[in-house]
């Protein structure tokens, strides 16, 4: 639990595919709507999805690639919010903090200015572990 | 911990492939055998696996597809319980609760009557987060 | 928290691909550097990666296979420690315990002598759940 008595959710977002980004962002936006502090630490393919234009390009993994077009069409018909919409909604709550994994940035030659402006902090794994060890729910997507 | 003083395991089952369903169900059936309350929240491909006949059709992901036949044969030789067998075993303990993710059902046009009868509740992410925030172990498969 | 007052990290390593092994091992080696007790329970593809020579052969999953050569080259240029190097580093801290999943070993015909010598214990899921229920952070990679 956080110092302000709020419950705390900490998610490592390792994946960059649409299904798993949605999973993380639906959990996160539900959590902020429930007044929980939400911490998302983006690493590997998840970090790459935070590059400008990255969230818009996310598709399904190889196993489900054949369902991608159908899923995107259905989401359009449902007027389902995009991953970036969900991220902005969480951000607007004032309860979301977004971390970009610094070793991943070095590994993939991603610079701070390549990332969407919603990123709060560039940080190593220690920062995440510190937060996660005080969280009520810890997950890796 | 639960009100009855039992330890509590909460797993989001996002995956629908055989390897990961086994992972979730082996953890879950071990937990119920240890007298832990077990909560499985099925979303995305995991939810699709709960459609009638879905667990029987589960195979390996693209990366390991070439090992699928060999693995299924070996499981047969070992007389290893199927995923559905494990699910029924957990259910029989009285300690398992199964949730089906309502947004996923809308996204994939899955109706309540399409799902196996073992599902306890159709629920959004808030129900899961509420339970997970009181759990001793939280995982996403 | 452990009996010695140390924070405790428990990770199920289900994956055997390079990106996810790195994810688990970077978290683990950061945790041991922060004086946290670290418990890694290897199952399925993760267990297979603990066979002698397995960590060296790990590559990217099907979705990202086309980036494998480029990523390995970049890691070489950065002189980034290999997964096995990170594992040995965690081990040297005296804070890491490695578990090999016994049902997975039966399923894939892996014998104790096939595994790298750093494995501490061959154990079923109950051993992991016992530890995870006392941990501050629980994750599945």
């Amino acid at each position: 639990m956080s110092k302000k008595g709020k419950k705390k959710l900490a998610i490592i977002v390792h994946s960059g595919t649409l299904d798993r980004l949605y999973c993380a962002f639906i959990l996160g936006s539900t959590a902020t709507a429930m007044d929980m502090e939400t911490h998302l630490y983006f690493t590997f393919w998840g970090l790459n999805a935070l590059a400008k234009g990255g969230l818009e390009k996310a598709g399904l993994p190889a196993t489900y690639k054949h369902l991608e077009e159908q899923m995107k069409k259905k989401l359009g018909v449902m007027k389902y919010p995009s991953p970036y919409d969900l991220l902005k909604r969480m951000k607007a709550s004032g309860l979301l903090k977004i971390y970009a994994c610094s070793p991943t940035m070095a590994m993939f030659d991603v610079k701070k200015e390549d990332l969407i402006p919603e990123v709060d902090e560039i940080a190593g794994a220690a920062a995440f572990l510190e937060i996660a060890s005080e969280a009520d729910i810890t997950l890796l997507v």
Side-chain angles (χ1 to χ4, degrees), chain A:
Chain A
M1 205 170 287
S2 76
K3 284 171 196 138
K4 297 165 207 148
K6 290 191 197 301
K7 295 242 175 180
K8 216 166 166 172
L9 168 67
I11 305 182
I12 300 185
V13 186
H14 176 279
S15 303
T17 53
L18 191 60
D19 55 331
R20 290 188 166 252
L21 289 170
Y22 262 127
C23 188
F25 291 7
I26 291 170
L27 286 167
S29 56
T30 307
T32 56
M34 291 166 77
D35 201 33
M36 291 176 74
E37 255 189 44
T38 301
H39 298 265
L40 299 183
Y41 183 81
F42 289 80
T43 182
F44 275 85
W45 319 112
L47 184 277
N48 279 284
L50 287 196
K52 284 167 189 150
L55 290 172
E56 290 81 354
K57 274 186 296 195
L60 292 181
T63 307
Y64 300 109
K65 199 68 187 175
H66 59 290
L67 298 173
E68 185 175 307
E69 211 177 332
Q70 181 189 334
M71 189 182 166
K72 286 185 170 176
K73 198 181 289 181
K74 177 75 184 176
L75 291 167
V77 171
M78 292 171 77
K79 299 196 164 74
Y80 206 86
S82 72
Y84 204 176
D85 289 339
L86 289 174
L87 188 144
K88 284 175 183 158
R89 190 181 293 181
M90 287 186 259
K91 205 65 194 167
S93 73
L95 291 163
L96 174 69
K97 205 157 166 194
I98 299 179
Y99 307 81
C101 170
S102 44
T104 302
M105 291 177 66
M107 215 179 270
F108 288 93
D109 277 325
V110 176
K111 310 267 166 272
K112 192 183 187 316
E113 57 269 26
D114 299 329
L115 300 175
I116 56 171
E118 286 81 3
V119 173
D120 291 288
E121 200 176 316
I122 293 170
F128 176 77
L129 290 171
E130 200 67 67
I131 287 152
S133 70
E134 305 294 334
D136 300 276
I137 306 175
T138 56
L139 299 169
L140 186 146
V141 173

